[in-house]
Amino acid sequence: MGYKSALAGIAGATAIALVSTFAASAQEAPAAGTIVDGSLKDKTLTFVSYGGIYQDGQNAALKEFVDKTGVKLLNDGPTEIAKLQAQVESKNVTWDVVDTADLPPYVHCGTLFQKLDLTKLDVSHIPAGQVGECSVPAMNYGVVLMYKNDTYKDNPPKNWKDFFDTEKFPGIRAIDGSGDPIGGLIEQGVLADGGSVDNMTPADIDKGIAKIKALGPDTIYWKTGAESQQLAESGEADMILMWTGRAMTAVKNGAQYTPVWQDWLVVMDQLTIPVGVKDTDAAYALINAYLGKNAQEVLTEKTSYSPINNEAKPKVDPAVAAFLTNTPERVKQGYQQNIKFWVQNFDAASEKWTALMAGN
């Protein structure tokens, strides 16, 4: 599938309140991973995701569900919101469960994606703050600050404030310039400038982007995950924002960099049910099976993405385990951005981010 925008997460307080609101009804749901033998015999579901190793891993995670329920599982993709919108508007929805990027379920909740009935899904093992009104996470990964060991030796950066401090920590920075604005990084810029992100306004977008711009003209804005990995393996940058999977691969390939885990930026794909699905109960059954411990272990073992069931204990080699984000320590260190703010201010942020990428 390739990794996507780092603009992810849910506003902590809002999300926790949402989960709390649903808690009573969620307790009535069948346990995550529940599969009823023969329950979907002669039925067909279409699962939509981003292809490649990722979707192959998702299908491996769903194999037990397919085998036991008797459902015929078709695959489609990649996920395109325009295609889904056309299906919903024509009232001919052929996609039953859709894996999306981080923002769409919040932008299109109730219009393209159904509001979830948590009497049909067990979300009790999902990390706090990751259940949306119209989505549950499909997997986790993160954006992490990687620093070059030789550059900083015994005085390495410890947090995002150090990342923005070019006097105490000189060197070339490399930042994700592959797509949408990185809301979490902009927020960290606001914090490093002495501001607050508790009640952000559009003016804070300017403050955060100004802090990024102040890193200097030598800043590299990489365009693909492969490019970020190459920067690490060649040692071209002193600090690099990297997707955890790419960081893991770079280190396995010999890159002499170390991650800073404090306030790593939480990223997640989302599982959704489109408005107008013909068999909603079958779609819920698939998602609930996918959320189970065993399915999540298979997913991680096949893809190296972090599981979203906190009981999952995938069998992976130490190099992979070092970059998984689902351990209690990593969950505690994660930074979840203010998704509500970024959805409301996405157009303005995109315009300002595009200008930054263009050197303006």
Side-chain angles (χ1 to χ4, degrees), residues 177-193:
S178 64
D180 293 333
I182 306 175
L185 183 63
I186 295 173
E187 290 184 34
Q188 292 299 333
V190 172
L191 292 169
D193 198 43

Side-chain angles (χ1 to χ4, degrees), residues 101-359:
D102 31 38
L103 282 181
Y106 302 100
V107 176
H108 304 290
C109 186
T111 54
L112 297 183
F113 303 108
Q114 295 186 24
K115 294 183 180 181
L116 296 178
D117 177 357
L118 294 190
T119 65
K120 298 177 180 179
L121 293 175
D122 175 10
V123 298
S124 63
H125 298 292
I126 295 174
Q130 293 195 18
V131 177
E133 194 174 10
C134 287
S135 61
V136 295
M139 55 77 170
N140 278 181
Y141 65 99
V143 172
V144 66
L145 167 58
M146 299 287 287
Y147 66 83
K148 189 176 180 181
N149 299 337
D150 285 348
T151 300
Y152 302 106
K153 297 184 171 61
D154 296 332
N155 183 36
K158 298 179 177 62
N159 49 43
W160 292 109
K161 186 175 182 180
D162 292 345
F163 174 81
F164 286 105
D165 190 339
T166 55
E167 291 188 12
K168 289 184 181 178
F169 298 92
I172 295 173
R173 270 66 164 169
I175 292 174
D176 180 357
S178 64
D180 293 333
I182 306 175
L185 183 63
I186 295 173
E187 290 184 34
Q188 292 299 333
V190 172
L191 292 169
D193 198 43
S196 170
V197 296
D198 292 338
N199 295 290
M200 290 182 68
T201 69
D204 289 312
I205 301 174
D206 294 316
K207 292 178 184 177
I209 287 183
K211 197 69 176 175
I212 297 170
K213 194 172 183 177
L215 292 172
D218 292 335
T219 304
I220 299 168
Y221 294 99
W222 50 263
K223 299 302 182 185
T224 66
E227 185 183 351
S228 74
Q229 184 178 323
Q230 188 274 331
L231 288 170
E233 292 180 14
S234 65
E236 290 181 54
D238 299 291
M239 295 190 206
I240 311 176
L241 264 71
M242 296 187 75
W243 300 320
T244 46
R246 288 293 184 177
M248 173 197 71
T249 304
V251 170
K252 287 179 75 171
N253 290 346
Q256 297 299 304
Y257 284 74
T258 299
V260 175
W261 285 107
Q262 184 59 47
D263 291 325
W264 62 274
L265 308 180
V266 177
V267 187
M268 56 186 173
D269 268 30
Q270 313 268 19
L271 286 184
T272 62
I273 301 174
V275 170
V277 161
K278 294 177 178 61
D279 193 336
T280 306
D281 285 343
Y284 275 113
L286 183 151
I287 293 175
N288 204 50
Y290 180 96
L291 296 178
K293 173 181 179 293
N294 293 340
Q296 287 296 302
E297 288 171 346
V298 171
L299 178 72
T300 297
E301 289 164 4
K302 295 291 186 182
T303 68
S304 298
Y305 286 105
S306 297
I308 47 80
N309 185 309
N310 61 15
E311 293 186 335
K313 300 185 184 304
K315 296 179 175 63
V316 294
D317 67 50
V320 173
F323 283 89
L324 293 181
T325 61
N326 66 309
T327 65
E329 179 186 11
R330 293 287 176 262
V331 170
K332 189 179 297 185
Q333 292 171 311
Y335 181 86
Q336 298 190 55
Q337 299 117 98
N338 187 343
I339 197 78
K340 183 177 180 181
F341 174 83
W342 294 111
V343 168
Q344 292 173 345
N345 295 276
F346 186 72
D347 289 343
S350 294
E351 182 179 343
K352 296 174 189 300
W353 187 260
T354 299
L356 175 67
M357 295 299 106

Side-chain angles (χ1 to χ4, degrees), residues 1-181:
M1 66 166 271
Y3 298 75
K4 298 181 298 303
S5 162
L7 187 56
I10 303 175
T14 301
I16 292 170
L18 175 63
V19 173
S20 298
T21 300
F22 289 152
S25 61
Q27 291 172 0
E28 302 169 15
T34 296
I35 300 171
V36 179
D37 287 349
S39 57
L40 300 178
K41 186 179 179 183
D42 299 326
K43 293 192 175 185
T44 300
L45 287 172
T46 298
F47 178 70
V48 183
S49 189
Y50 292 92
I53 291 173
Y54 178 48
Q55 194 159 350
D56 288 345
Q58 290 178 305
N59 276 282
L62 289 167
K63 185 178 186 302
E64 184 183 9
F65 169 77
V66 172
D67 290 346
K68 288 188 175 180
T69 64
V71 72
K72 181 179 180 182
L73 186 63
L74 304 178
N75 277 258
D76 201 355
T79 301
E80 293 181 23
I81 297 303
K83 284 187 177 180
L84 177 59
Q85 185 170 0
Q87 291 182 24
V88 172
E89 289 177 353
S90 67
K91 300 187 185 305
N92 184 27
V93 177
T94 59
W95 290 355
D96 297 291
V97 176
V98 179
D99 185 307
T100 80
D102 31 38
L103 282 181
Y106 302 100
V107 176
H108 304 290
C109 186
T111 54
L112 297 183
F113 303 108
Q114 295 186 24
K115 294 183 180 181
L116 296 178
D117 177 357
L118 294 190
T119 65
K120 298 177 180 179
L121 293 175
D122 175 10
V123 298
S124 63
H125 298 292
I126 295 174
Q130 293 195 18
V131 177
E133 194 174 10
C134 287
S135 61
V136 295
M139 55 77 170
N140 278 181
Y141 65 99
V143 172
V144 66
L145 167 58
M146 299 287 287
Y147 66 83
K148 189 176 180 181
N149 299 337
D150 285 348
T151 300
Y152 302 106
K153 297 184 171 61
D154 296 332
N155 183 36
K158 298 179 177 62
N159 49 43
W160 292 109
K161 186 175 182 180
D162 292 345
F163 174 81
F164 286 105
D165 190 339
T166 55
E167 291 188 12
K168 289 184 181 178
F169 298 92
I172 295 173
R173 270 66 164 169
I175 292 174
D176 180 357
S178 64
D180 293 333

